[in-house]
Amino acid sequence: MTDPDSHFHVDSERQTAEIHDCGTVLRSLRSLVPDGLVDSLEWERLAGRADGLSASIVGLEFRLGDPTPNADFLLGLVPGSWAEQTCIRRGQEAPPDSPEAFLANYLAQIRDAEFPEAALIATTILEYDVGLVPGDDRWPPPGVFQKLKNPFSQNVGIREAEVAARIASAISWAVGRSDDAQESAAIRKMVAALPVDSQLTWIGAMPGRDPRMIRLLFDVPDADGLMDDLQRIGWPGPTEMVASTLDAINGQFERLAIQLEVSAQGVLPRLGLEVYVLPKHPYGFADWSRAPNPGLWRPILSRLEDTGWCLPQKASCLLAFPGREYIFDNGIFLVHKNINHVKISIEASQAREAKAYVFMKFQPATA
């Protein structure tokens, strides 16, 4: 597609459509998301926050135990994509001390063949807080999350503690922070203690959150040994809450990942259990060509309802989300909508919170 007024750019090699203006496209997708997940007023806030942004993939984050119909959103930037290059150009034109400039410098750095870890870097996800932000005039900058891959096998994830610390340091610069030697040391210590059969798959930072920390996500091949793994890693949180959470959803997921937060003081007590209903793809990518089956998510959402971590209305609306739809924008585009995972956050003295993460990807209808 070459029409300059179109809100999509088509990558002829991948035959995927990348979004030129996410705000405009979100407005055109309003009918594809149930009102019980995001109402019209909150949808317009999402679209307003996304105005002028580019992406390869769009995601939404729903709080399943909160009756308020709002959401945060995520933008995916595929390596070398038109959307990523647009993000870099936009940041290079921004003030040098702005979040846009920090992000652009990071993206340009990791795509440079001379960047030591360039071969390990996969899709970048930008996470935008919107739902709980009180006003539209002071949006926090997005979190930056980096997917990691093995350049030799193409499997997702890495194991090297020193490499993880260097990538975390680069991400800190991406969100406007300077290096912190103690934080890097804590990251190296945690990654070195990972289970031998586990992989570190994502590293990220949220500049709008306190305290300063780095988030690390690693897969868990054997949930039975998780309590021992957390103790070895040095997680200071309530392991009994993790055990009871796993008991509540036992048998209702295919694979599991753990999100931990690390600061200069060490591993923090907040933990996220990420559950998936599909087995891990050998290359770590979603198969967007297959029709999604929302019924796969029904058992675990029913369990979350039973525990009170998911409201019945949110569950029914979430099950209505997956599918494939057509939209029109100087052409016909196919929208693939699917649930990626559910995360249950655990922290001592606080109620467990469940969130669902859904993604939408676009293709020309003739592809």
Side-chain angles (χ1 to χ4, degrees), residues 250-264:
N250 183 44
Q252 305 306 318
F253 59 88
E254 179 69 26
R255 58 190 178 96
L256 177 71
I258 299 295
Q259 176 187 281
L260 292 177
E261 299 176 349
V262 180
S263 73

Side-chain angles (χ1 to χ4, degrees), residues 57 91 105 150 231 234 288 366:
I57 304 168
N105 291 337
N150 184 312
Q231 184 177 13
W288 295 97
T366 56

Side-chain angles (χ1 to χ4, degrees), residues 73-354:
F73 77 94
L74 308 95
L75 303 182
L77 302 175
V78 171
S81 64
W82 176 89
E84 185 185 67
Q85 293 301 313
T86 299
C87 186
I88 292 173
R89 289 194 298 270
R90 184 182 298 113
Q92 290 172 339
E93 297 170 356
D97 60 347
S98 66
E100 294 79 8
F102 293 136
L103 176 61
N105 291 337
Y106 166 74
L107 293 173
Q109 177 189 22
I110 62 174
R111 300 311 172 203
D112 189 328
E114 296 184 359
F115 181 66
E117 283 71 50
L120 307 177
I121 302 298
T123 301
T124 303
I125 293 289
L126 308 179
E127 183 173 332
Y128 292 80
D129 286 340
V130 177
L132 298 182
V133 179
D136 299 352
D137 56 340
R138 297 189 65 183
W139 295 112
V144 179
F145 290 83
Q146 192 62 69
K147 189 175 186 178
L148 306 174
K149 65 181 180 181
N150 184 312
F152 302 105
S153 68
Q154 291 300 307
N155 289 329
V156 173
I158 64 171
R159 287 281 316 173
E160 298 79 10
E162 187 61 42
V163 171
R166 288 200 297 267
I167 294 175
S169 179
I171 291 174
S172 290
W173 284 101
V175 297
R177 298 172 178 168
S178 59
D179 284 334
D180 187 313
Q182 289 183 304
E183 182 180 82
S184 295
I187 291 169
R188 287 194 295 269
K189 181 178 179 181
M190 188 203 123
V191 175
L194 288 178
V196 67
D197 53 354
S198 187
Q199 298 286 324
L200 182 67
T201 55
W202 289 87
I203 300 178
M206 298 288 291
R209 308 278 182 89
D210 289 322
R212 166 176 169 155
M213 50 77 181
I214 293 289
R215 283 186 173 173
L216 304 172
L217 184 76
F218 62 95
D219 56 15
V220 181
D222 181 13
D224 292 337
L226 180 57
M227 300 307 109
D228 292 336
D229 294 338
L230 291 174
Q231 184 177 13
R232 183 172 56 256
I233 289 169
W235 183 59
T239 54
E240 67 279 1
M241 288 184 69
V242 176
S244 63
T245 301
L246 289 175
D247 285 344
I249 59 176
N250 183 44
Q252 305 306 318
F253 59 88
E254 179 69 26
R255 58 190 178 96
L256 177 71
I258 299 295
Q259 176 187 281
L260 292 177
E261 299 176 349
V262 180
S263 73
Q265 286 69 48
V267 182
L268 299 177
R270 183 176 172 85
L271 174 147
L273 291 172
E274 294 195 358
V275 293
Y276 303 77
V277 299
L278 291 176
K280 189 175 183 179
H281 189 280
Y283 301 112
F285 303 123
D287 184 358
W288 295 97
S289 65
R290 298 178 59 189
N293 179 7
L296 293 174
W297 286 97
R298 191 179 305 278
I300 192 166
L301 289 176
S302 295
R303 291 284 182 90
L304 294 177
E305 283 186 63
D306 294 340
T307 60
W309 304 333
C310 177
L311 298 174
Q313 182 185 17
K314 289 284 180 84
S316 61
C317 289
L318 194 59
L319 290 171
F321 176 81
R324 295 188 290 190
E325 307 281 352
Y326 291 96
I327 61 172
F328 302 89
D329 184 84
N330 292 324
I332 305 175
F333 295 89
L334 180 61
V335 185
H336 300 265
K337 307 182 299 172
N338 213 342
I339 303 169
N340 190 65
H341 67 278
V342 168
K343 182 175 76 173
I344 304 170
S345 295
I346 296 172
E347 190 169 4
S349 76
Q350 294 191 21
R352 278 164 277 208
E353 181 184 39

